[in-house]
Amino acid sequence: MQLIDGKKIASDIRKELKEKIDKLKAERKNVPGLVAIIVGDNPASQIYVASKSKACEEIGMRTKVEKFPATFHEKDLIDVIEKYNSDKDYHGILVQLPLPKHINENKIIEAISPQKDVDGFHPMSVGNLVIGKETFVSCTPAGIQELLKRYYINTRGKHVVVVGRSNIVGKPIANLMLQKNDYANSIVTVCHSAASDLSYYTKQADILIAAIGQPELIKGDMVKDGVVVIDVGINRIEDKSSSKGYRIVGDVAFDEVAPKASYITPVPGGVGPMTIAMLLSNTYKAYKLYGE
């Protein structure tokens, strides 16, 4: 069994991007810029936005955080987005989700220019992914594929089973893996809570991607020997032996599944660090495609 070290791969990606941005600065060119917009005071959202902004600064990207109160109007938020759609200093626009209930998330996502949709959530980005056109792929699925690529894991003709059908992970990674591309070209099954026997599908997986948000749902007897396991789950469970009173686990029961796996991602330290790395990568891509 080989552990897939997402923390190291994410660090490598950041170093590669920093070298490219340092070169741009040496040539006195504009650098990629990302604006993050946050509405309300959700503590988790505050942490996520701060970590994204810090990551930008560390590699030399221009970064800005726009904070607004929870009472901010939907129309005013759209006005802010439209301002940045035409701002040549910012090549990526990120609106941190979730938004307050009075704001329609779909409207906000659709207000972002597809050329600056570095989260990969715009319907045009999603549609381009489905039909196999060049596009921004949402960051977690892009990170999963990057891990497979950097560990040289063969995916061609392999049976990829995705557990979960969210718009952020399950659906896009399924579409990504069935494209006729390198580190894709797979046979894909998507299963979810409506499956009467989930293990019927998971036992068939050559590559299992667990993204259902249920702690340690995938047990050792639900996978076959040699499976590649990508665990997207981040779940907090009670642990009185820990000083924090809890511990973080994935959607896979790691101690049971790891002995049967050829490759497996840990939680934490697997897929998680890749998400911000791919956000930075998407922002650099937006700069190269539309902003240089």
Side-chain angles (χ1 to χ4, degrees), residues 33-40 44-56 61-68 72 77-78 80-85 87 89-99 105 108-122 136-140 168 274-284 286:
L34 174 71
V35 59
I37 300 168
I38 182 167
V39 182
S45 292
Q46 301 273 4
I47 292 166
Y48 292 147
V49 166
S51 60
K52 289 167 184 174
S53 182
K54 185 183 176 192
C56 287
M61 274 187 184
R62 180 180 292 106
T63 182
K64 187 175 185 181
V65 177
E66 291 272 27
K67 294 183 180 180
F68 300 102
F72 203 57
L77 181 54
I78 291 171
V80 171
I81 291 167
E82 287 178 349
K83 181 184 86 169
Y84 283 105
N85 280 340
D87 189 328
D89 283 338
Y90 293 93
H91 309 91
I93 300 171
L94 179 152
V95 178
Q96 185 65 41
L97 303 178
L99 291 166
E105 286 188 357
I108 299 307
I109 289 167
E110 289 169 27
I112 298 169
S113 165
Q115 295 184 351
K116 297 191 176 188
D117 173 39
V118 290
D119 253 340
F121 294 162
H122 193 285
F136 295 111
V137 177
S138 53
C139 301
T140 301
I168 295 173
M274 294 298 294
T275 301
I276 291 180
M278 298 316 292
L279 174 68
L280 301 176
S281 183
N282 275 352
T283 304
Y284 182 80

Side-chain angles (χ1 to χ4, degrees), residues 9 11 44 47 57 75 81 95 110 124 136 146 152 156 180 182 191 194 200 206 244 248 256 269 289 292:
I9 299 299
S11 175
I47 292 166
E57 288 172 358
K75 184 185 179 302
I81 291 167
V95 178
E110 289 169 27
M124 190 174 287
F136 295 111
E146 193 68 19
Y152 304 102
R156 188 177 190 276
K180 198 173 182 180
D182 293 338
C191 47
Y200 171 80
D206 300 312
K244 294 177 181 177
I248 302 296
E256 288 185 33
L289 286 175
E292 210 173 356

